[in-house]
Amino acid sequence: MPGAVKEKKSLKRKQSNVSEKANKRAKAESDSEDDNNSQADILRLENEILESKKNYNNITTLLKLAQNDGDNDDDGKDDDDDTARFAMVALCRVFLRLLASGNLTRKIGQSDKDGVVVQWLRKRLHDYKQLVLSALRRDDTAITALTLAMRILQAEGQHMNGKDEYNFPTIFMREIVAALIQDGLEDARAEFCVKFLDGNADIRFYTFKALQDILSADPLESANENLFENVFDLLSYFTDPEIINRMGDYYVQAPKKKGHPVTSQTQQKKQAQGAWLALLNLGPTWDQRKQCLHIMTRSIAPWFIKPELLMDFLTDSYDTGGAISLLALSGVFYLIEERNLDYPLFYRKLYSLLDADFLHSKHRSRFFRLLDKFLSSTHLPAALVASFIKRITRLCLNAPPAAIVVVIPWIYNLFKKHPLCTFMMHRVPRAPEEKENLENEGMADPFIADEEDPMETCAIDSCLWEVVQLQSHYHPNVATIAKIISEQFTKQSYNLEDFLDHSYSSVSQMCPCTVYRFPILLTLF
């Protein structure tokens, strides 16, 4: 009997499992049928709208279906999302047809009744655009909403104006841009840049204009903590000056009137210039300032028809010190070279950047490239160049090997460009009194290390005894490279790029010399 009871219980359990699976299967089938029915109803409403004006009220029904409050449970929410998305796409097709057929445009001689219908359709179009903008602000529907919004924008610009008039939907464009710079829409911004901003002159022009208006007009909108990064994503998309100087096609249509600002490259750059200035006026943080300085000469300055407007930002950054000053160097020199910026203390400030952390900085390679450019002119005073040579060789005494292998060829090239500085390499006392004092008391280095003015350091009267010390460096490759200063200068110059961007391990492999392994003795003074 107990066995029979157990058998009955197991049979009941199996029957209940089978019934549950059947219920789930039936529910899934009913859900799919409901989805198919909903989509079929939406298509039916869409076709009825296009067949007769009497069915225009179906637009209101589709707008209600496209609204998704998300208050249902998870299963219901997914179904509502699919229905809302399908209705939104159907409405886009409806309004595109209505715009192309001219049903949203007032015509001459049109009756008052038809005028009321046109006004009503325009209000429904406005409701639909607000619905699309709401979907654009949500990450899960942003990509689809962006495509729909840009299709409506294009149709409005093509069909909502007169035959000879150019009427770009600037208000709708501003609303799209304002939605794109919200948080969490990185994918939508990337999609917008690649598909619309890159190759369309009109989208580029009015996007820059919208960003300038948003950043300058409403302080509440600028209060968003991530607004700077979001706008920076859009503006920093252009990294090639050739693309910046290329106009591209027109997404809506090209203006027929000559001299329109959209067709002018100067006017386009003016809008981009205003957008960048509005962004920089937000008061960027330390990291945000570094982001801007990284792309200053590549992505920001080429947009400026008046680069001198960047003077305040760049000079303030240059005077800050540290890594910010290193990054600001290229921008300041760009203004000096291209726009004749008067910066009389440029080399004095540049000299002050050669501190104890300079050769240990991750921006070392970039700084050496700029420093080589700044000191390449043969018209610079020998005393000035000598100060830079002496200061850097002094820093090499506590520098990593990867930095020293850059300094030595760089010094070699400076000696070839500025022969008057070669007296620093081998300075021998001539007078008997000097020799006697050197043997008995030694000689103090005339170089004034604490002097801030590179013209007053007396480095030209000193010698490079630091390089002699480097010739006994514990790293054999560093010692070998340091000896080139003591040999004859038969080589015209060294290619600095061959020595940049090295690490400790790569320094050991850069020369075909044998690296001897021996213990390093540290002497504490």
Side-chain angles (χ1 to χ4, degrees):
M1 292 298 291
V5 172
K6 289 182 180 179
E7 186 176 354
K8 288 182 180 180
K9 289 183 178 180
S10 62
L11 288 175
K12 289 182 179 180
R13 191 180 301 111
K14 289 181 180 179
Q15 290 176 357
S16 63
N17 292 336
V18 171
S19 62
E20 288 179 1
K21 292 181 180 179
N23 292 332
K24 290 182 179 179
R25 190 182 304 110
K27 183 179 180 182
E29 291 176 355
S30 64
D31 290 341
S32 62
E33 290 178 0
D34 290 340
D35 291 340
N36 293 332
N37 293 333
S38 298
Q39 294 180 6
D41 291 340
I42 292 173
L43 291 175
R44 178 180 56 80
L45 293 172
E46 177 187 350
N47 293 329
E48 289 177 355
I49 294 171
L50 300 176
E51 288 174 359
S52 173
K53 295 181 179 180
K54 297 178 181 180
N55 300 319
Y56 278 172
N57 285 328
N58 290 353
I59 295 177
T60 305
T61 305
L62 289 176
L63 285 172
K64 291 180 180 179
L65 290 174
Q67 292 176 350
N68 179 25
D69 296 331
D71 294 334
N72 299 324
D73 55 6
D74 293 339
D75 296 336
K77 183 178 184 300
D78 294 338
D79 296 338
D80 290 343
D81 287 342
D82 294 338
T83 302
R85 190 178 292 110
F86 198 80
M88 197 180 303
V89 174
L91 279 169
C92 181
R93 293 194 295 263
V94 167
F95 282 114
L96 290 178
R97 295 276 188 89
L98 293 177
L99 285 167
S101 59
N103 291 339
L104 277 80
T105 306
R106 291 295 299 266
K107 300 179 179 63
I108 300 176
Q110 197 174 40
S111 64
D112 294 339
K113 183 178 179 180
D114 291 337
V116 171
V117 174
V118 170
Q119 191 69 21
W120 184 86
L121 287 174
R122 287 191 173 189
K123 289 181 179 180
R124 300 293 77 77
L125 176 61
H126 178 268
D127 295 339
Y128 174 69
K129 289 194 293 186
Q130 297 305 312
L131 188 66
V132 171
L133 291 173
S134 178
L136 182 57
R137 296 184 181 94
R138 297 197 303 270
D139 185 46
D140 56 335
T141 58
I143 301 297
T144 302
L146 175 63
T147 303
L148 299 178
M150 296 305 294
R151 292 288 302 276
I152 293 296
L153 179 95
Q154 184 181 44
E156 272 194 300
Q158 292 174 347
H159 305 297
M160 290 284 285
N161 56 337
K163 294 182 179 180
D164 298 330
E165 297 179 359
Y166 181 79
N167 183 25
F168 190 92
T170 55
I171 297 177
F172 190 37
M173 186 75 236
R174 185 184 186 278
E175 292 174 336
I176 294 174
V177 173
L180 284 172
I181 59 177
Q182 300 299 315
D183 294 341
L185 298 179
E186 291 79 8
D187 294 339
R189 284 194 291 271
E191 182 88 359
F192 177 75
C193 291
V194 173
K195 287 190 175 180
F196 305 106
L197 192 64
D198 189 4
N200 299 301
D202 48 355
I203 298 297
R204 193 185 300 183
F205 179 89
Y206 287 105
T207 298
F208 292 148
K209 189 175 187 303
L211 288 173
Q212 182 180 355
D213 295 340
I214 293 171
L215 296 174
S216 303
D218 192 351
L220 294 178
E221 289 185 75
S222 302
N224 184 6
E225 294 181 356
N226 298 322
L227 180 65
F228 188 97
E229 285 80 4
N230 298 339
V231 176
F232 185 83
D233 285 346
L234 290 177
L235 292 178
S236 62
Y237 172 76
F238 301 96
T239 57
D240 189 354
E242 293 183 0
I243 297 178
I244 293 176
N245 294 323
R246 188 179 64 201
M247 287 296 294
D249 299 325
Y250 295 92
Y251 183 72
V252 175
Q253 61 184 10
K256 297 180 180 179
K257 183 179 179 181
K258 293 183 178 180
H260 196 279
V262 175
T263 62
S264 172
Q265 190 176 37
T266 301
Q267 291 298 322
Q268 187 175 111
K269 287 188 173 184
K270 185 177 180 181
Q271 297 300 327
Q273 172 183 282
W276 273 113
L277 287 175
L279 182 65
L280 296 178
N281 288 334
L282 290 181
T285 62
W286 183 276
D287 292 333
Q288 292 168 352
R289 188 177 288 264
K290 288 172 65 176
Q291 284 181 326
C292 294
L293 293 174
H294 265 296
I295 63 170
M296 179 59 65
T297 58
R298 186 178 69 253
S299 300
I300 300 180
W303 284 114
F304 277 65
I305 56 178
K306 293 182 178 180
E308 53 270 18
L309 295 175
L310 290 169
M311 286 182 182
D312 292 339
F313 178 79
L314 289 173
T315 52
D316 290 345
S317 301
Y318 189 50
D319 293 337
T320 301
I324 292 291
S325 295
L326 295 180
L327 294 174
L329 268 177
S330 57
V332 173
F333 188 75
Y334 175 86
L335 294 182
I336 293 176
E337 190 176 40
E338 298 293 331
R339 295 292 172 171
N340 298 321
L341 170 65
D342 185 14
Y343 199 103
L345 301 178
F346 175 77
Y347 284 98
R348 182 168 180 170
K349 180 62 181 178
L350 180 64
Y351 184 72
S352 69
L353 297 180
L354 304 179
D355 54 14
D357 299 328
F358 152 61
L359 293 178
H360 299 268
S361 172
K362 65 179 180 180
H363 306 295
R364 179 181 64 223
S365 298
R366 178 174 181 170
F367 182 75
F368 263 111
R369 291 185 180 96
L370 294 173
L371 196 61
D372 188 53
K373 182 188 296 184
F374 300 152
L375 298 177
S376 61
S377 175
T378 57
H379 299 287
L380 293 175
L384 178 72
V385 178
S387 295
F388 280 89
I389 294 175
K390 183 66 177 179
R391 183 74 167 262
I392 291 183
T393 53
R394 180 68 62 87
L395 294 174
C396 283
L397 297 177
N398 296 305
I404 301 175
V405 298
V406 182
V407 172
I408 301 301
W410 178 75
I411 293 174
Y412 184 99
N413 293 344
L414 281 183
F415 280 143
K416 296 290 289 186
K417 294 176 183 177
H418 305 275
L420 291 178
C421 296
T422 55
F423 293 102
M424 301 173 64
M425 287 189 294
H426 189 64
R427 191 178 297 280
V428 179
R430 304 293 182 183
E433 296 81 4
E434 294 180 356
K435 292 182 179 180
E436 184 178 357
N437 290 334
L438 180 61
E439 294 175 358
N440 297 332
E441 302 177 3
M443 186 181 70
D445 193 340
F447 173 65
I448 306 174
D450 297 333
E451 176 59 48
E452 297 180 356
D453 189 353
M455 293 296 294
E456 303 294 335
T457 61
C458 300
I460 194 67
D461 299 325
S462 180
C463 62
L464 298 183
W465 58 266
E466 296 89 352
V467 177
V468 178
Q469 298 298 315
L470 294 177
Q471 293 173 359
S472 302
H473 198 274
Y474 72 86
H475 199 297
N477 289 356
V478 174
T480 301
I481 293 177
K483 291 177 182 178
I484 66 175
I485 301 298
S486 300
E487 298 173 356
Q488 292 186 357
F489 278 32
T490 56
K491 189 176 181 64
Q492 184 63 30
S493 64
Y494 284 92
N495 184 10
L496 206 61
E497 293 295 329
D498 294 338
F499 301 92
L500 294 171
D501 302 321
H502 276 293
S503 62
Y504 186 91
S505 59
S506 62
V507 168
S508 301
Q509 301 173 3
M510 65 181 293
C511 296
C513 57
T514 304
V515 179
Y516 295 96
R517 299 182 179 275
F518 55 91
I520 302 172
L521 302 179
L522 299 179
T523 304
L524 301 178
F525 294 96

